[in-house]
């Protein structure tokens, strides 16, 4: 982070903090990220950092709010531009994968937060993100069934769960491989299997 970050306005400083955390999470275990490391990445003192966030939990909450806003906005945009619900599902799948490729630290943080025993605000935010994402998938699947594009006998909730599980499986493989970009190459074939399972047949 350049030295001029010291003079950023408050909103820009908070946004820069989120970006720093996401970048650090791509390089190391998110649980090991300290406020000192964040401040160092931003070329700030911890005191300057705490003028914008009261504690580390508040920083994590800002990160998950950023993730939810960015991911869901991208999903809504590509879904709205698609010509059919099935094409919208494909666009959402590929957009989600691309988001992970661009921000490999995000899934590390999401998985890490869900594994925490205590019910933190950040953990509730992650659950809310997954629920809102799932609701969008359910709406698209129901629209596809109504239009005859998707098989009417498809279990909507199960199909949405399979969609999310397919994304999560690819992401987990990328984490194990240490290369988020591997999911980009595998995603089309994985979605093709999902598409064959839910689409209607003449």
């Amino acid at each position: 982070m350049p030295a001029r970050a010291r003079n950023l306005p408050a909103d820009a400083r908070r946004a820069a903090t989120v970006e720093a955390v996401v970048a650090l999470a791509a390089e190391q275990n998110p649980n090991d990220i300290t406020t000192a490391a964040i401040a160092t990445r931003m070329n700030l003192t911890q005191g300057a950092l705490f003028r914008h966030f009261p504690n580390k939990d508040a920083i994590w909450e800002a990160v998950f709010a950023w993730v939810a806003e960015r991911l869901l906005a991208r999903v809504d945009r590509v879904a709205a531009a698609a010509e059919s619900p099935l094409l919208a599902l494909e666009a959402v799948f590929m957009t989600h994968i691309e988001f992970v490729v661009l921000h490999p630290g995000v899934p590390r943080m999401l998985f890490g937060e869900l594994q925490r025993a205590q019910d933190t605000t950040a953990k509730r935010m992650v659950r809310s993100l997954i629920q809102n994402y799932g609701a969008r998938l359910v709406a698209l699947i129901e629209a596809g069934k109504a239009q005859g594009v998707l098989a009417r006998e498809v279990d909507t909730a199960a199909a949405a769960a399979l969609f999310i599980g397919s994304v999560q499986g690819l992401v987990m493989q990328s984490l194990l491989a240490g290369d988020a970009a591997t999911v980009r190459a595998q995603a089309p074939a994985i979605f093709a299997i999902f598409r064959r399972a839910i689409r209607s047949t003449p």
Side-chain angles (χ1 to χ4, degrees):
M1 185 66 59
R4 63 177 178 275
R6 297 174 182 273
N7 302 315
L8 288 175
D11 288 346
R13 175 70 60 77
R14 285 189 286 269
T17 303
V18 167
E19 292 171 3
V21 172
V22 171
L24 285 168
E27 302 167 4
Q28 63 184 86
N29 184 340
N31 293 332
D32 295 335
I33 297 174
T34 63
T35 53
I38 298 169
T40 298
R41 175 63 66 99
M42 298 178 67
N43 196 27
L44 297 173
T45 64
Q46 288 191 69
L49 190 62
F50 286 131
R51 282 198 289 273
H52 300 280
F53 298 95
N55 50 46
K56 184 178 176 180
D57 286 343
I59 296 175
W60 254 235
E61 290 165 19
V63 170
F64 291 126
W66 179 91
V67 170
E69 179 183 358
R70 295 294 181 91
L71 178 58
L72 294 179
R74 292 185 183 202
V75 163
D76 289 342
R77 185 168 59 251
V78 299
E83 296 180 359
S84 76
L86 184 55
L87 290 174
L89 286 167
E90 182 174 7
V92 169
F93 192 91
M94 299 307 171
T95 295
H96 193 156
I97 293 300
E98 191 62 27
F99 186 83
V100 171
V101 172
L102 293 174
H103 308 291
V106 167
R108 289 173 175 267
M109 297 190 69
L110 293 177
F111 288 143
E113 194 62 34
L114 289 174
Q115 291 174 23
R116 294 180 64 175
Q118 61 270 41
D119 191 24
T120 64
T121 299
K123 188 174 183 178
R124 291 193 293 272
M125 292 173 73
V126 174
R127 286 203 304 265
S128 177
L129 167 59
I130 295 173
Q131 290 167 358
N132 288 332
Y133 187 94
R136 285 161 166 79
L137 297 178
V138 166
L140 288 173
I141 293 167
E142 285 296 312
K145 290 165 69 173
Q147 294 178 21
V149 178
L150 304 182
R152 294 188 181 276
E153 64 270 19
V154 165
D155 184 311
T156 299
L162 179 60
F163 184 107
I164 294 173
S166 297
V167 173
Q168 291 174 336
L170 280 169
V171 171
M172 186 62 70
Q173 289 181 43
S174 74
L175 293 177
L176 291 171
D179 182 8
T182 59
V183 301
R184 183 186 281 143
Q186 297 171 341
I190 298 297
F191 185 82
I193 295 172
F194 175 80
R195 180 173 56 231
R196 284 196 294 272
I198 66 170
R199 69 184 177 187
S200 61
T201 55

